[in-house]
Amino acid sequence: MPTTAIHASRILTPDEEISDGVIVVEGSRIAAIGHRDEMRLPPGAVDYVATGMTVIPGFVDVHIHGAGGHDVMEGDARALDRITATVARHGTTSIVATTVTAPVEDTCRSLQGIAQYIRAHENAEPGHLAAEILGVHLEGPFISKARRGVHPPDALAKPSVATFGKLIEAADGLVKIVTVAPELPGALELIAAAVAAKIVGAIGHTDADYDQARAAIHAGARHAVHMYNAMRPFEHRDPGVVGAILTDPEVTAEVIADLVHVAGPAIQVLIGTKGFDTVLLVSDGIAATGMPDGKYRLGNFEVSVKDGVARNSEGKLAGSTLTLDRALRNVVALGVPLQDAVRMATVLPARRLGLAGKKGIIAVGADADLVALTPDLRVSGVMTRGAGLA
Ligand SMILES: [Zn+2]
């Protein structure tokens, strides 16, 4: 088994900071970590010296549709290889493949392909740089017509435990998150079914008022999809779904920190209100991520990308071309301490997925998913489950 010793000026685990640290990687896992003076390095270890660098865990993106010219709903190995390789270059080492609303049969076909791909890669050491697909996020069809964003209206569906079961089966049990609009009939039953199946019930694409959102949280919803976007807005006498999310410490909230989807001060309000422990950085990235401007597909429809901003034919924002390294720099520029910003893109999403100790953390036994950052927070090297960096 190849052994690598990574020497870094600073390591953010990210719950702790270690200066002059060493991470020992054996195969695909982290075998040891500590201060240089306290470590006995295994004989024959290959040294990787990251002088002046900060090494952090790889980013965990719970909301991403595609990258590198491909969409996860293509569902084939070529597309998924390309997506996972593209985001890995930006430091994202795990993703939750996110569907966009489409007819149920089409979604099932995509889910079967994604599930096959995940099963073929699980427990395998990648041998090359590639993010791991941890499962599926169903963004639709159980969402509000009024707040659908670019999701095609014809394919939206009322929350149905039976349809949900069909989607879970097509995904071979690999659904991790389901987005639901709490105000729709059947939403609370669907959230309860998700919780029973150990799937994260997420509030999103919703016109819910405060009480409807509270009812969803009471039913077990613990996550909010792209905070502010595709949500009924906050009003001081009608705080709505935004008010419910901002004031509940059990609910994690995604934010697309590209400074296009959400203005900087609104991100500051979100973090200032909820604190550093419940805000997750996501990309909502689409096929155009890592590609030049042009026309791309998102699920079953076309989007145009100009200056890196993706819109549908009506001019509505249609996902992003954000990568989490850029999101990290953006929130740090807004005044978030680096260590907290790193947590928002690593350990916190991993915990939300129930993967504490395995993903998004530099700890003994965790997957060796690592990113070396320059002092100006650019990605200078990436390791995915032991591959890369050297
Ligand atoms: Zn999305």
Side-chain angles (χ1 to χ4, degrees):
M1 206 187 302
T3 303
T4 309
I6 299 158
H7 305 254
S9 297
R10 174 166 65 163
I11 297 168
L12 296 175
T13 69
D15 292 327
E16 279 180 88
E17 174 168 350
I18 302 169
S19 52
D20 281 326
V22 182
I23 303 164
V24 177
V25 173
E26 277 177 16
S28 63
R29 299 259 173 89
I30 295 167
I33 171 176
H35 191 274
R36 189 178 49 193
D37 297 342
E38 299 158 358
M39 298 278 286
R40 251 193 306 138
L41 295 184
V46 178
D47 288 309
Y48 178 89
V49 180
T51 309
M53 304 287 174
T54 298
V55 173
I56 64 171
F59 304 127
V60 179
D61 193 347
V62 302
H63 190 151
I64 174 168
H65 299 276
H70 292 276
D71 188 295
V72 299
M73 291 193 68
E74 292 169 50
D76 61 44
R78 192 174 146 264
L80 298 172
D81 278 348
R82 192 66 203 274
I83 293 165
T84 53
T86 302
V87 297
R89 287 201 296 275
H90 293 275
T92 296
T93 56
S94 318
I95 64 172
V96 181
T98 306
T99 61
V100 67
T101 303
V104 171
E105 298 309 322
D106 291 6
T107 306
C108 283
R109 244 193 324 275
S110 299
L111 293 175
Q112 283 161 1
I114 296 166
Q116 263 175 27
Y117 185 89
I118 295 174
R119 295 297 184 209
H121 288 75
E122 65 188 351
N123 306 319
E125 290 181 17
H128 62 277
L129 212 58
E132 182 172 9
I133 304 181
L134 302 174
V136 172
H137 177 167
L138 297 174
E139 190 184 16
F142 311 122
I143 60 175
S144 151
K145 197 165 186 179
R147 302 283 176 193
R148 70 181 191 280
V150 299
H151 289 249
D154 301 345
L156 299 179
K158 287 203 183 94
S160 149
V161 173
T163 306
F164 184 41
K166 212 170 148 180
L167 295 167
I168 294 173
E169 198 186 316
D172 196 16
L174 292 164
V175 176
K176 299 290 177 197
I177 302 173
V178 60
T179 297
V180 187
E183 71 277 20
L184 298 180
L188 302 184
E189 291 79 359
L190 191 106
I191 290 166
V195 173
K198 295 196 162 38
I199 293 168
V200 176
I203 298 169
H205 283 278
T206 168
D207 202 38
D209 64 20
Y210 177 82
D211 290 336
Q212 289 166 329
R214 283 300 315 163
I217 296 167
H218 186 72
R222 289 291 179 273
H223 186 62
V225 172
H226 46 52
M227 185 69 181
Y228 301 119
N229 296 116
M231 277 180 191
R232 174 201 189 95
F234 178 89
E235 280 255 21
H236 62 295
R237 269 188 285 271
D238 177 15
V241 59
V242 168
I245 295 162
L246 284 177
T247 53
D248 195 308
E250 298 295 315
V251 178
T252 46
E254 301 175 352
V255 67
I256 307 169
D258 60 355
L259 308 181
V260 173
H261 280 75
V262 185
I267 297 175
Q268 288 169 320
V269 166
L270 173 65
I271 295 170
T273 312
K274 287 188 72 63
F276 293 124
D277 271 342
T278 48
V279 178
L280 314 185
L281 301 182
V282 296
S283 68
D284 200 8
I286 65 161
T289 304
M291 302 291 286
D293 284 356
K295 295 209 185 299
Y296 294 89
R297 299 204 61 85
L298 172 55
N300 284 349
F301 56 94
E302 193 179 75
V303 299
S304 299
V305 179
K306 193 166 168 262
D307 301 327
V309 178
R311 297 184 188 274
N312 75 353
S313 55
E314 300 163 44
K316 288 186 185 171
L317 285 173
S320 86
T321 59
L322 181 66
T323 49
L324 291 186
D325 55 337
R326 186 150 59 89
L328 182 84
R329 290 192 293 273
N330 285 345
V331 295
V332 168
L334 288 172
V336 176
L338 177 63
Q339 192 168 348
D340 292 301
V342 170
R343 294 178 77 245
M344 288 173 192
T346 58
V347 71
L348 298 178
R351 271 184 210 156
R352 177 45 82 216
L353 295 170
L355 294 171
K358 178 173 164 64
K359 290 289 181 189
I361 192 161
I362 302 177
V364 173
D367 285 353
D369 294 334
L370 303 169
V371 177
L373 294 175
T374 63
D376 60 352
L377 307 182
R378 307 267 154 191
V379 172
S380 80
V382 181
M383 176 176 269
T384 56
R385 284 174 292 153
L389 261 192

